[in-house]
Structure formats: structure tokens, C-alpha cells
Amino acid sequence: MVTKSVDLRSDTVTKPTEAMRAAMATAEVDDDVLGADPTAARLESEVAKIMGKEAGLFVASGTMGNLISVLVHCDIRGSEVILGDNCHIHIYENGGISTIGGVHPRPVKNNDDGTMDIGLIEAAIRDPRGEIVYPTTRLICLENSHANTGGRCLSAEYTDKVGELAKKHGLKLHIDGARIFNASVALGVPVNRLVQAADSVSVCLSKGLGAPVGSVIVGSKSFISKARRLRKTLGGGMRQLGFICAAAFVALKENVAKLEGDHKKAKVLAENHFYQLDYPAYILHVTVFHQIFFDIVEGSKITAEKLYKKLEEHGVLVMLEGPLRMRIVLHHQISSSDVLYTLSCFQVINLVPVPNPADTD
């Protein structure tokens, strides 16, 4: 019998807090398509200030934020963007930059730490003298933290180097900052420093910060002016937007400080289970920030799907990432008691293989 429910599928599953609901109910609003919603303007200004940029624009999702940003920088069809072969824009955003914007992706291999080799990035930049046959490179995209490499964080120094390379070749740099606040906490570096070299950043408010919906893209005033027009083109112009932004503003003010706790709880979960396995077979590797990715060694007697179902029977929900890989994500609505309960469930589910009597003869 399930005695408790712990949802560790993602940091996107959080529910609005009472403070968020109260802020939504009392928000001052107006028509944002006309540029008149004061609460939306306040949120956009605050996020831009935190990121060290001139202006911001609220959008419905990180996917919309990345799409608009790429299209602003690559405003001529047939432009090319250099991005990681395992990044979110390339893998999980429906190919929108191509299907909607006519922008050609030029993927470069992501390393295990989420970076791309600087030399490989430079080698991927098209020679302008070949424009009769090549697309024209206009943009480089980075992702911080990098989801598909276990939430690894890109350093400010690495991002600076990519920014310098972009400027050297007359290109722009966009950062998909879906979990940029988590990266800031993990690295101990102010968030504005992490994006200093970027021309634009998409900042998700509905992941680590726990807002019910939305992202803010930031950049120069001219960039945001063009972005606002594109948002309308894509159907993202919303009227009394302030009631949504009011909840996001609460998340921004209250939940950044909680991210360190999320990281600590993830570490507790990992160190009390995965790092202490003293038998061969199951866990191939673990990566931890506020996310835990782990692989079950191929050939083990349990698969990720079987483990997933056993955990679900105990009320613990996780995310299947493949036949052998699983992901656990901590967020501000996961308590210390939830972590202890999850640990107890892993202990109840006996992962230690039953010895084959023939092996002991």
C-alpha cells in the first residue's frame, strides 16, 4: 500500500505556493500586447537587471524563448547556428528553428561536461568566401546547465572564451539558461557573471524556481524590441499577463535561496544510496547537482523500467531516460522527509542480486 507520494520526475511538477496564488489574485494587470501591463514590465525589468542585460521579455516557455532568440539573431533565412549535438534546442524543441525560422543547425559534439571544444566550434564557422554554397554562420548557442550531460554547469571562463570567439568572427552568442540559477548556485558564481559574454539569454522560471509557467528572455533593448514582435507572430502575445508574472515574481524572490537546499538534498540522496553500493552490477555512474542521473549496468538482473515500476508502487515517481538510465530531480517542494522516504524505498527494493549457488561451489 502506498503510504506517501514523492514526485521526483522533474522540477517542472511543482504546484503554485499560497504566496504565488495570493499574488496572482491581487496582481495589477493591463493589456500586455499594448505594452501596458505593469506587473509583466516589473518582472521583465527585474530579470534583466539580475542578468546584467538592458531589457527582458516574458514568454510562455523556454522553447519559445530559445526560438525567438535564435530567430532574432538569424533574421535572414538560410542562416546557420552552431550548437551542441546533445543540447536541448537541437534535440527537444521540435526542430522549430528550422521549420519555422529557416535556420540551419550546425551541431558540434558535446563533451561529457556539456562544453564543446573551442577548436571544433571555430572549425564549424563557415568561411564567408564560400557563401555561394554554404549557409552563413550567425550564432553560437550554449546551454547552462546542460541537461543531457547530467546537469553539468558551464564555467564563466569557458563561456567567456566562446563569447570572444563569437566576437572575433562577428557572431552572436545565445545561452539557453533553463536552469541558469542552479548553475550559479552549484558553481558559487553570480548569475550575471555566468552570462556576461552572452548577447541573449533564455531564463526559465518554471523549472528550478518553481513558477507555474513561463520564461524571460533578456538582451539589449533593440534585441527585445525585435523579440516582442516575433512573440506576437508566434501567438505568444497575451493580454492580462500580469497575473502569471506575479506568481513568477514570487518564485524569483523566494525560491532562488532554496536552490542550495535542493542541491544538498540531492547529495544526501546520492551519498546515502548510490555512492555506498558495495556490490558490483547496478550503478554505473552518478552525476549530482539538483539532478541525479544514474545508469544501471547492462546485463544486470533489473532494468530501469522494472526499477521505475517498483518505485511507483511505493509512491516514488522518477523519470525514465532510456532502457538503462533514470533521472531524479529535487525541487523546493521535496522535503528532507521525502528524501528519507525515497531512501527507504530503495532499501526495500532489494537490488542486490541473489547469488547463484553454482557460483559458490
Side-chain angles (χ1 to χ4, degrees):
M1 180 182 295
V2 175
T3 59
K4 189 178 179 71
S5 178
V6 182
D7 194 339
L8 300 170
R9 290 173 298 165
S10 177
D11 47 0
T12 61
V13 302
T14 56
K15 306 299 189 293
T17 62
E18 288 304 315
M20 291 178 190
R21 293 176 189 274
M24 293 172 74
T26 59
E28 183 183 0
V29 298
D30 204 329
D31 190 330
D32 188 62
V33 176
L34 301 179
D37 192 295
T39 305
R42 184 165 67 107
L43 176 68
E44 292 163 347
S45 177
E46 183 66 15
V47 176
K49 180 181 177 182
I50 291 170
M51 295 291 152
K53 305 303 180 186
E54 288 183 349
L57 180 69
F58 186 90
V59 294
S61 67
T63 295
M64 179 180 279
N66 287 329
L67 176 60
I68 290 173
S69 297
V70 172
L71 267 56
V72 170
H73 294 307
C74 299
D75 56 352
I76 300 173
R77 292 184 68 85
S79 297
E80 187 167 75
V81 54
I82 295 172
L83 73 182
D85 68 339
N86 206 17
C87 76
H88 199 279
I89 294 175
H90 189 51
I91 303 294
Y92 295 119
E93 298 185 3
N94 300 112
I97 61 172
S98 299
T99 57
I100 296 174
V103 178
H104 187 262
R106 173 87 155 169
V108 170
K109 179 177 173 55
N110 278 121
N111 298 317
D112 290 341
D113 61 359
T115 64
M116 299 175 281
D117 290 345
I118 299 294
L120 292 180
I121 296 175
E122 186 158 30
I125 298 172
R126 303 289 188 178
D127 187 335
R129 292 172 296 182
E131 65 180 0
I132 191 70
V133 292
Y134 298 140
T136 300
T137 309
R138 300 187 189 279
L139 177 66
I140 302 171
C141 289
L142 299 176
E143 180 182 340
N144 198 10
S145 62
H146 196 276
N148 274 358
T149 57
R152 295 312 204 293
C153 305
L154 307 186
S155 69
E157 292 75 19
Y158 171 78
T159 305
D160 288 346
K161 290 179 182 177
V162 177
E164 291 166 5
L165 179 65
K167 285 184 172 59
K168 174 183 172 183
H169 292 274
L171 311 178
K172 298 296 184 181
L173 173 62
H174 172 69
I175 294 179
D176 174 1
R179 294 185 175 93
I180 193 68
F181 286 102
N182 288 98
S184 173
V185 169
L187 296 172
V189 176
V191 68
N192 64 322
R193 178 66 188 89
L194 289 181
V195 301
Q196 183 176 301
D199 296 285
S200 61
V201 188
S202 178
V203 183
C204 187
L205 302 174
S206 66
K207 290 190 171 72
L209 299 190
V213 66
S215 292
V216 174
I217 51 177
V218 297
S220 67
K221 290 180 181 178
S222 62
F223 169 85
I224 293 300
S225 178
K226 294 174 183 176
R228 187 176 295 276
R229 183 179 179 185
L230 263 173
R231 184 184 69 173
K232 176 64 174 171
T233 303
L234 294 171
M238 293 175 275
R239 300 298 179 180
Q240 285 69 43
L241 181 58
F243 81 96
I244 300 176
C245 292
F249 200 88
V250 172
L252 186 66
K253 289 300 183 182
E254 294 187 357
N255 292 346
V256 173
K258 298 177 183 177
L259 294 177
E260 186 174 0
D262 297 342
H263 291 211
K264 287 180 178 178
K265 288 168 191 168
K267 187 176 181 181
V268 167
L269 185 56
E271 290 184 346
N272 282 277
H273 182 68
F274 302 115
Y275 290 162
Q276 291 186 8
L277 293 176
D278 55 1
Y279 49 85
Y282 295 115
I283 307 306
L284 182 63
H285 71 261
V286 179
T287 60
V288 178
F289 290 108
H290 73 302
Q291 304 182 73
I292 303 172
F293 286 76
F294 62 94
D295 289 341
I296 298 175
V297 174
E298 192 169 359
S300 298
K301 294 184 179 180
I302 193 166
T303 64
E305 185 174 0
K306 288 180 181 178
L307 177 56
Y308 169 84
K309 289 180 178 178
K310 285 181 176 292
L311 288 169
E312 187 178 36
E313 290 171 4
H314 289 80
V316 177
L317 303 179
V318 298
M319 183 75 76
L320 277 174
E321 294 282 318
L324 299 174
R325 172 163 287 197
M326 303 182 76
R327 183 184 77 164
I328 290 172
V329 185
L330 280 291
H331 52 77
H332 75 97
Q333 291 178 339
I334 296 297
S335 66
S336 296
S337 65
D338 290 332
V339 171
L340 293 176
Y341 177 75
T342 302
L343 281 169
S344 71
C345 292
F346 272 106
Q347 291 163 1
V348 168
I349 301 168
N350 185 8
L351 294 181
V352 181
V354 177
N356 186 335
D359 295 336
T360 61
D361 290 344

